[in-house]
Amino acid sequence: MVGEERLVHDLHGACERGEIVAHYQPQFDLATGRIVAAEALARWNHPELGLIAPGVFIPIAEDQALIHTLGRHMIEQVLAAVTSWNERGIALEVSVNVSANQLTTLAFFDLLDRDLGRVGLPANAITIEITESYPILDTPSIAIRLDELRQRGLGISIDDYGIGYSSLQQLERIPATELKIDRSLVQDGSVQSLALMTAIVELAHWRGLRVVAEGIETDEQLALVRELGCERAQGFLLAMPMPLAELESLLTA
Ligand code: C2E
Ligand code: MG
Ligand code: MG
């Protein structure tokens, strides 16, 4: 078996075999320079092919209806991490990516609700990031469920804002707590992108949302997003995504 066919085959059971692991990319508070949160990013530790990026296997997982198992597996890892940090007095928030497909099953919300109740964590330590799924949020039942999660204290982040389906209307509809400016805007450097970012930050703040700038690769980009008033920044300049153990040694160093 070669190529995609092999990946499709091997992805079945990958979670159960412990091959899908969460790596964590630190997010920095721009006022203090400290790490205040981390985004969990799925990695497939393939026994023969090595580490495979989510851009490759998430679309396959969506296609093969494996995204529910995978998403659940990621949430379990994240909750375990936050629980253990909590016990050790490490105050760190965590974000986890959730795809449109996951949101369409009400089982997702029930499980998340149950998990949160079971571990008894402060829900505000956890944020779910929603991407390219904005049209789905027009479904009233989903908007209501998201709102319930938010009422429980969970953070809701609008990921990759500024591209694709992003619109001002979406900002009105989604019961969000955070907005992440897409890295293509941050990195673009054009006058138009600067104007757009300025408007996005202003609007987000007016709506009471925290703003995270992603894809910071240069000192200039860092200075810019700080000047724009973003609260948090994330990017290769600041820290790469890393395994849990590495993140923990970085935090306790
Ligand atoms: P995302 O949620 O927007 O995550 C940020 C992506 O940007 C990550 O790629 C991260 O490694 C990358 N990144 C961070 N800083 C920089 C930078 O300075 N420069 C550049 N060029 N890239 C940077 P990654 O890990 O390959 O993930 C890609 C996408 O896959 C994510 O984009 C997210 O949409 C999706 N994804 C990852 N994990 C999961 C998951 O557990 N569930 C779902 N549904 N999607 C996931
Ligand atoms: Mg994300
Ligand atoms: Mg993003």
Side-chain angles (χ1 to χ4, degrees):
M1 251 190 290
V2 286
E4 168 115 359
E5 207 184 322
R6 165 155 193 204
L7 294 181
V8 170
H9 176 270
D10 292 357
L11 193 57
H12 286 87
C15 287
E16 292 78 358
R17 293 190 298 271
E19 294 169 11
I20 306 291
V21 291
H23 279 202
Y24 295 86
Q25 186 178 32
Q27 291 181 350
F28 292 75
D29 181 311
L30 281 169
T32 63
R34 302 177 91 104
I35 299 174
V36 284
E39 177 178 7
L41 295 159
R43 299 286 180 264
W44 182 5
N45 212 340
H46 191 287
E48 281 156 36
L49 304 173
L51 218 56
I52 302 177
V56 174
F57 65 86
I58 294 286
I60 300 176
E62 306 259 12
D63 202 48
Q64 300 287 314
L66 294 169
I67 194 68
H68 305 287
T69 309
L70 193 150
R72 171 135 194 84
H73 189 65
M74 287 296 290
I75 286 174
E76 275 166 5
Q77 288 182 62
V78 158
L79 291 179
V82 180
T83 305
S84 119
W85 297 337
N86 210 33
E87 282 163 8
R88 287 180 285 160
I90 301 173
L92 192 71
E93 297 171 26
V94 72
S95 294
V96 62
N97 293 283
V98 167
S99 74
N101 275 324
Q102 282 173 272
L103 294 176
T104 56
T105 62
L106 294 181
F108 164 78
F109 291 99
D110 292 338
L111 285 169
L112 189 56
D113 202 48
R114 206 179 65 194
D115 285 344
L116 287 173
R118 185 168 47 81
V119 295
L121 281 173
N124 56 12
I126 298 148
T127 291
I128 58 171
E129 294 192 6
I130 302 168
T131 328
E132 45 91 327
S133 42
Y134 310 148
I136 273 212
L137 300 166
D138 291 340
T139 313
S141 59
I142 293 177
I144 291 167
R145 287 303 194 95
L146 279 176
D147 205 45
E148 281 168 12
L149 287 178
R150 180 173 162 181
Q151 301 299 329
R152 281 194 72 144
L154 204 90
I156 295 171
S157 181
I158 306 173
D159 204 355
D160 305 333
Y161 194 79
I163 53 160
Y165 294 109
S166 319
S167 78
L168 298 181
Q169 255 183 349
Q170 303 298 352
L171 278 192
E172 300 281 326
R173 288 203 201 105
I174 305 172
T177 54
E178 178 186 278
L179 179 149
K180 291 184 88 171
I181 304 180
D182 191 67
R183 71 164 181 265
S184 60
L185 269 186
V186 171
Q187 296 178 349
D188 185 51
S190 71
V191 180
Q192 288 93 321
S193 289
L194 181 58
L196 192 51
M197 276 196 288
T198 308
I200 289 173
V201 173
E202 197 173 327
L203 187 67
H205 284 165
W206 182 69
R207 302 277 310 167
L209 305 185
R210 173 173 69 212
V211 182
V212 181
E214 62 180 12
I216 305 295
E217 291 184 4
T218 68
D219 289 319
E220 290 74 22
Q221 291 160 2
L222 182 61
L224 172 67
V225 300
R226 182 178 278 134
E227 200 171 315
L228 286 175
C230 298
E231 277 78 19
R232 293 180 181 181
Q234 182 183 346
F236 293 167
L237 175 75
L238 303 165
M240 301 292 290
M242 58 188 84
L244 178 64
E246 234 172 89
L247 174 73
E248 294 185 340
S249 53
L250 187 69
L251 289 171
T252 50

